[in-house]
Amino acid sequence: MNDETTTGEPPATPPHDPDLLELRTPAQFKALGHPVRHRIVNLLRQRPATLGELTTALGAAKGTVGYHVRVLRDAGIVRLAGTRHVRGGTEQTLALVSRGFRLHEEAAAGPDFLIRAALAEMLPARPGQAEHTLLNHLWLTQQEAHALIARLRALLPPPGRTPPPGGEPYGLLLSLYPADIPTLPPRPSDESAARNSTS
């Protein structure tokens, strides 16, 4: 998947991009949840492609790829972009229905779906290849949390970007989530220091 999918945005965020398909139905999540279909979507993010091109890129049987494409089309994620007559039949070009996706705020599968998708894509880094994974915890007010979400969104490249020559695919999973972490009460000395600083 791509990184423009987000969840839990406050009402103050910009209006929804009409060029992003909002994912909310079980059929959509089921369609995208299969690893082969997930890879087909990632291929079509790069450009429209024929069934033959998808088959070659995936190294899978044409019948298998055709089946998964039909599931994606039935879920409203992939569309027929064009046809042309070739020797022996008709060649179809397939494309995504939108330049990207976003999760509906009430989609129950949202965060879990994105995490599973990211784990399915992850490869061990080769020697010298860039890679960075970090889990950190922050204590934020609601205002600070919404401001941080806006800053994270601003870091993302525009969806639908064509892979540059020599570029390698990387995944970027950004998640700011309420964490189940107990909090110790402040030490008595901290409380008295805070009172003294405000007096």
Side-chain angles (χ1 to χ4, degrees), residues 52-132:
E53 289 174 323
L54 294 174
T55 298
T56 300
L58 293 169
K62 193 170 186 177
T64 299
V65 176
Y67 164 75
H68 289 298
V69 165
R70 285 193 300 274
V71 174
L72 289 167
R73 289 184 66 182
D74 289 345
I77 294 167
V78 168
R79 64 180 175 87
L80 180 63
T83 60
R84 71 183 183 102
H85 294 292
V86 296
R87 187 172 59 185
T90 301
E91 182 179 70
Q92 297 181 337
T93 298
L94 303 156
L96 297 177
V97 300
S98 63
R99 67 187 179 95
F101 307 100
R102 67 182 300 116
L103 296 178
H104 188 271
E105 293 162 357
E106 297 177 3
D112 290 346
F113 173 78
L114 292 179
I115 291 169
R116 287 195 302 271
L119 289 173
E121 290 179 354
M122 283 185 184
L123 295 173
R126 302 188 305 273
Q129 188 179 30
E131 186 274 335
H132 180 70

